[in-house]
Amino acid sequence: MLVDSPPEPRAEAAPAPPKRRAIRSIGLLVSAAVLLLVFFASIAVGAKSMSMDQVWHGLFQDSGTYGDVVVGERLARSLLGLLAGAALGLSGAVLQALTRNPLADPGLLGINLGASAAVVTAISFFGVTSLSGYVWFAFVGAALVGVLLYILGGARGATPVRLALAGTAISAALYGYLQAVMITDNAALNKMRFWTVGSLASANMDTIKQVLPFLAVGTVLALSLARPLNAMAMGDDTARALGAHLTRTRALSMAAATLLCGAATAACGPIVFVGLMVPHVVRSFTGPDMRWILPYSALLSPVLLLGADVVGRVVARPAELQVGIVTAVIGAPVFIFLVRRRKLAQL
C-alpha cells in the first residue's frame, strides 16, 4: 500500500494564475460537453441496433416498441450510469485526499465489500430476491462499514495510515465472510454472482428515485469539503494553523464517501477502478487543488462508466458484457501502470 507524505505547503497555498483558472474553467465546460455526448451515445447505442431516427422517435414521439426500448430501458440505464459514475468519482477523490494516497479508491476502505456482504446476507438469511430490496441492504452495509472504519481508524485521532490499515482489515474479514456464505448457500451464490459483477442492465426509474436523495446529499457534502481537504493535504499541524477542524473534516469526508459509494454500489453492484482512475488522472492536469479535482471527477467519471457500458453492449452483440467487467479490464493495466510509474519516480 502506498501512502504519500504531505506535499509542501507553498505548492498548495499559492493561488492559481488567472490564465490557469480560465483554462481550467474552459476544461470543465469541455468535460460537460463530452459527458453530454457520451450520455446520448449511451441512449443511442445498444445491443439492439437502432437508427438515429428510431432513437429520436422513441425518445420524444413514439410510445410503442422504440419508446419502450429507448425510454423504458436505455434512458434509465444512462441516467443511473451518469449518477453512479459521478458518485464513484467524487467518493474516490475524497478518499484519496483523506488517506493522502492517490492510488486509493472506495474499495480500499472496504465500503464496496460492506455493501456486497449486506446483499449476500439479505439473499441467504432473509430471502430477499428483488433489486429494490438489495438497494437498502447494500446501502446499510456500506454505511455500517463507514462507521466501523471511522471507529477502528481512531475516531477523533484518525490518521490516513490508520484509516488505510483499518480498511484493509475490514476488507479481508468481509471477503472471507462473503466467500463462506456463497460457498455454503448455492441459492445465494446463483443470485449474488450477477450482482457482484457490477452492471447497469437492471436500471429503472424506481431504483434511481431510491438512491437519488443519498447521492444528492453526498455530492453537496463532498463539494463543500474542498477547502478543508486542501488544508489537510499540507499536514495536520498546518491544517490546524489554517483553521481546519480535522476531526469534523474526517468524519464528514467518511460520511460523504459512504453516502456516494454506498448508494452507487447499492444500485449497480460493486464497480471497480472508476473511483481510482479518474481522480488520479484529473490530478495530473489540475494539480492538488480539490476545488478543481472534485468537479472534474464528477464530470469525467460518468464518461468512463457510460463509455465502458456502451463498449460492453457493442462488443458482445446481441448479448452484452457487464460494465463492471469492462472497467476491470480497462482498470487493471492502468492501475499497474500507475503503480510502476510511481515506483520509478521514487527511485
Side-chain angles (χ1 to χ4, degrees), residues 236-260:
D236 290 356
D237 293 337
T238 304
R240 289 191 188 96
L242 292 173
H245 194 295
L246 301 185
T247 301
R248 181 175 61 197
T249 300
R250 290 189 178 112
L252 292 177
S253 297
M254 283 303 307
T258 300
L259 285 169
L260 291 166

Side-chain angles (χ1 to χ4, degrees), residues 10 28 68 96 150 244 308 313:
R10 63 176 181 273
L28 282 177
D68 292 340
Q96 287 175 12
Y150 184 68
R313 281 183 273 171

Side-chain angles (χ1 to χ4, degrees), residues 38-250:
V38 175
F39 179 80
F40 282 112
S42 178
I43 296 175
V45 180
K48 178 180 176 62
S49 297
M50 298 176 64
S51 67
M52 291 305 299
D53 286 341
Q54 292 170 336
V55 172
W56 182 265
H57 283 286
L59 191 59
F60 295 107
Q61 300 177 20
D62 187 8
S63 59
T65 302
Y66 298 133
D68 292 340
V69 172
V70 175
V71 177
E73 298 177 14
R74 293 186 185 176
L75 181 60
R77 182 172 184 157
S78 300
L79 284 173
L80 183 58
L82 188 154
L83 294 173
L88 292 173
L90 283 172
S91 62
V94 169
L95 291 176
Q96 287 175 12
L98 183 65
T99 61
R100 298 177 196 163
N101 182 356
L103 297 181
D105 78 330
L108 174 72
L109 301 183
I111 297 175
N112 284 348
L113 281 173
S116 300
V119 170
V120 78
T121 299
I123 293 171
S124 184
F125 297 105
F126 297 101
V128 177
T129 58
S130 66
L131 181 63
S132 60
Y134 295 167
V135 166
W136 294 107
F137 275 91
F139 183 77
V140 170
L144 289 176
V145 168
V147 173
L148 181 61
L149 177 67
Y150 184 68
I151 295 172
L152 294 179
R156 290 180 179 274
T159 65
V161 174
R162 287 181 180 178
L163 289 171
L165 291 175
T168 301
I170 293 171
S171 297
L174 290 175
Y175 183 77
Y177 170 76
L178 272 172
Q179 296 305 308
V181 174
M182 292 171 66
I183 289 174
T184 56
D185 189 336
N186 289 330
L189 174 61
N190 290 333
K191 292 183 176 68
M192 191 68 183
R193 61 181 179 175
F194 296 106
W195 187 84
T196 53
V197 171
S199 175
L200 300 174
S202 300
N204 57 65
M205 289 300 180
D206 289 336
T207 301
I208 294 175
K209 291 176 183 178
Q210 287 176 327
V211 300
L212 186 58
F214 302 106
L215 293 174
V217 173
T219 298
V220 172
L221 188 56
L223 293 175
S224 69
L225 291 170
R227 288 183 181 275
L229 286 174
N230 277 344
M232 287 179 60
M234 293 182 278
D236 290 356
D237 293 337
T238 304
R240 289 191 188 96
L242 292 173
H245 194 295
L246 301 185
T247 301
R248 181 175 61 197
T249 300
R250 290 189 178 112

